[in-house]
């Protein structure tokens, strides 16, 4: 059975609508603050206050946070405050960092009140990424980056290519204009307009990020000017061809 209390003076509320209000129990808190490692069950209490002269029926739910209430639907008598215990379980696959959400109450007339929830997920910070699906096209190098760690990464990429007689591409590390969140996969491209016309090359791409994250991938490609070989008919149809002999390699 939920605890109910008759009101003298109503306590300060974080959110109010149509006369009833929603707030953390105990007063003095504008929001709920919780912290724990994945799998932790956190407990707190929310207050629904009805200072009016008629009963109020509301339903409670969590928005953006996994909240479970002792009673999701309740009816609060006039001039009464209901104290509703609830739990927040930090997801087992949650990565370290801050999350935001809210507890939401809605009455029979569609009016809602919310209280913010600030959840901090603890655990070790791990910076890790992989380079995947490196490929060479006619005038472009494409690849995918996957954030395998628990921190947001800002990658830096360097590209090198060696041909039969020496280096044909040498790009120093540069920072990509992207923030890669944990678990994210993104596709990127490196333009190569001055590629060799006739050569067999080996392309190596190296990506690093703060925290020690690092990975490399390499592939091979053969550039053949088919217009010179066939008298121009192939060039008119397909342009310069790139024959790929992909070989994948990692050094994490």
């Amino acid at each position: 059975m939920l605890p109910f209390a008759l009101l003298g003076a109503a306590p300060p509320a974080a959110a109010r609508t149509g006369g009833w209000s929603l707030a953390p129990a105990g007063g003095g808190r504008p929001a709920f603050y919780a912290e724990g490692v994945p799998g932790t069950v956190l407990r707190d209490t929310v207050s629904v206050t009805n200072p009016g002269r008629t009963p109020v029926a509301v339903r409670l739910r969590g928005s953006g946070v996994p909240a479970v209430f002792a009673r999701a639907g309740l009816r609060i008598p006039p001039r009464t405050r209901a104290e509703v215990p609830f739990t927040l379980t930090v997801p087992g696959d949650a990565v370290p960092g801050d999350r935001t959400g809210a507890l939401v109450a809605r009455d029979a007339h569609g009016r809602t009140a919310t209280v913010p929830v600030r959840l901090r997920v603890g655990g070790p910070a791990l910076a890790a990424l992989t380079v995947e699906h490196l490929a060479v096209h006619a005038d472009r190098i494409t690849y995918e980056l996957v954030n395998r760690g628990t921190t947001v990464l800002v990658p830096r990429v360097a590209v090198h290519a060696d041909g039969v007689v020496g280096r044909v591409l040498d790009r120093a590390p540069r920072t990509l204009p992207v923030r890669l969140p944990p678990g994210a996969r993104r596709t990127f491209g490196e333009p190569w307009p001055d590629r060799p016309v006739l050569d067999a090359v080996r392309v190596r791409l190296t990506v690093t990020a703060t925290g020690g994250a690092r990975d490399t991938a390499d592939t091979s490609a053969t550039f053949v000017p088919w217009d010179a070989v066939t008298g121009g008919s192939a060039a008119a149809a397909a342009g310069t061809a790139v024959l790929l002999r992909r070989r994948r390699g990692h050094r994490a």
Side-chain angles (χ1 to χ4, degrees):
M1 183 175 180
L2 295 177
F4 288 85
L6 292 176
L7 297 180
R16 180 183 297 275
T17 179
W20 60 271
S21 61
L22 186 72
R29 293 185 292 168
F32 290 101
Y33 300 91
E35 182 175 354
V37 299
T40 302
V41 178
L42 308 166
R43 294 175 173 81
D44 210 322
T45 303
V46 65
S47 296
V48 184
T49 303
N50 177 19
R53 298 180 178 180
T54 58
V56 173
V58 301
R59 291 198 64 84
L60 299 168
R61 64 179 177 88
S63 175
V65 290
V68 177
F69 299 90
R71 186 174 176 182
L74 61 154
R75 183 180 176 86
I76 305 99
R79 298 188 59 79
T80 303
R81 181 176 64 252
E83 308 285 346
V84 185
F86 67 92
T87 60
L88 290 175
T89 301
V90 182
D93 59 351
V95 298
D98 293 334
R99 294 188 173 192
T100 59
L103 299 189
V104 182
R106 181 184 180 92
D107 67 13
H109 301 286
R111 295 171 295 192
T112 61
T114 63
V115 178
V117 177
R118 310 283 188 248
L119 177 60
R120 173 161 293 179
V121 182
L126 172 64
L129 57 78
T130 56
V131 183
E132 302 181 6
H133 303 121
L134 176 65
V136 180
H137 305 279
D139 59 354
R140 193 171 185 82
I141 300 169
T142 61
Y143 59 97
E144 291 183 359
L145 296 183
V146 185
N147 187 340
R148 303 290 184 182
T150 61
T151 62
V152 176
L153 299 178
V154 180
R156 288 174 58 82
V157 61
V159 188
H160 305 287
D162 293 310
V164 174
V165 296
R167 181 147 294 184
V168 294
L169 179 62
D170 190 7
R171 292 183 184 170
R174 67 180 181 88
T175 301
L176 297 179
V178 64
R179 290 173 60 84
L180 202 63
R185 176 187 293 269
R186 302 279 178 83
T187 300
F188 299 92
E190 290 285 327
W192 196 5
D194 55 345
R195 66 199 182 283
V197 176
L198 175 61
D199 206 346
V201 301
R202 181 182 182 84
V203 177
R204 176 174 291 267
L205 186 139
T206 303
V207 180
T208 59
T210 303
R214 178 185 176 89
D215 195 26
T216 63
D218 64 86
T219 190
S220 297
T222 300
F223 295 92
V224 178
W226 287 111
D227 55 338
V229 176
T230 64
S233 59
T240 302
V242 181
L243 305 180
L244 297 181
R245 303 189 308 275
R246 294 189 179 87
R247 186 169 67 84
R248 182 67 174 82
H250 276 298
R251 184 173 72 249

